[in-house]
Amino acid sequence: LTPVELFQPHFSRILADFCCQAIETNVKDNRLDIIELGGGRGTNAKHILSYLKDKKPHIYECLTYTVVDSSPSLHATQQELFREDHVEKMNFRLLDLTDVAEKSASLVEQ
């Protein structure tokens, strides 16, 4: 288990608050892109998005959330989790994270 799973939803809420403090005055073009590497079962993304929707709707409205994972089974689990909630905010990328680390694959689509 990861800290996200062990301390849910608190860990994700603290992370969301930290991100909000850093970006609230720096959102450019009314757009914010969050990219999570190795999203596991999608727990962190789900808690962050739910928290932002409830507590910081002005940030939630301008964001997209991309989960990048190398596991086909976790990729499918993530997509299933977001089938109904936050679907309009989510993007899913199935990439080998070694390729990302070695810069032979890009995290963001050009």
Side-chain angles (χ1 to χ4, degrees), residues 1-105:
L1 290 175
T2 66
V4 171
E5 300 289 334
L6 288 171
F7 304 111
Q8 63 178 306
H10 310 293
F11 184 89
S12 299
R13 289 178 180 172
I14 290 168
L15 184 57
D17 268 339
F18 176 80
C19 291
C20 286
Q21 288 176 9
I23 60 149
E24 241 172 345
T25 59
N26 296 313
V27 174
K28 294 184 171 88
D29 302 323
N30 291 327
R31 184 178 142 186
L32 170 66
D33 299 311
I34 298 174
I35 301 172
E36 181 178 352
L37 299 179
R41 292 182 260 179
T43 305
N44 192 45
K46 181 94 168 187
H47 288 308
I48 286 175
L49 288 169
S50 294
Y51 178 78
L52 291 176
K53 185 176 184 179
D54 185 44
K55 302 293 184 188
K56 306 278 186 177
H58 62 288
I59 291 177
Y60 180 84
E61 288 303 315
C62 69
L63 74 81
T64 60
Y65 199 112
T66 301
V67 177
V68 180
D69 215 303
S70 58
S71 165
S73 61
L74 288 175
H75 188 71
T77 299
Q78 295 156 3
Q79 290 177 319
E80 181 63 30
L81 180 66
F82 290 100
R83 189 170 297 257
E84 295 179 18
D85 292 335
H86 313 294
V87 66
E88 73 284 356
K89 299 294 179 185
M90 295 301 299
N91 296 304
F92 303 94
R93 306 253 345 254
L94 186 59
L95 289 174
D96 185 328
L97 296 178
T98 301
D99 291 342
V100 172
E102 294 173 352
K103 298 182 181 176
S104 61

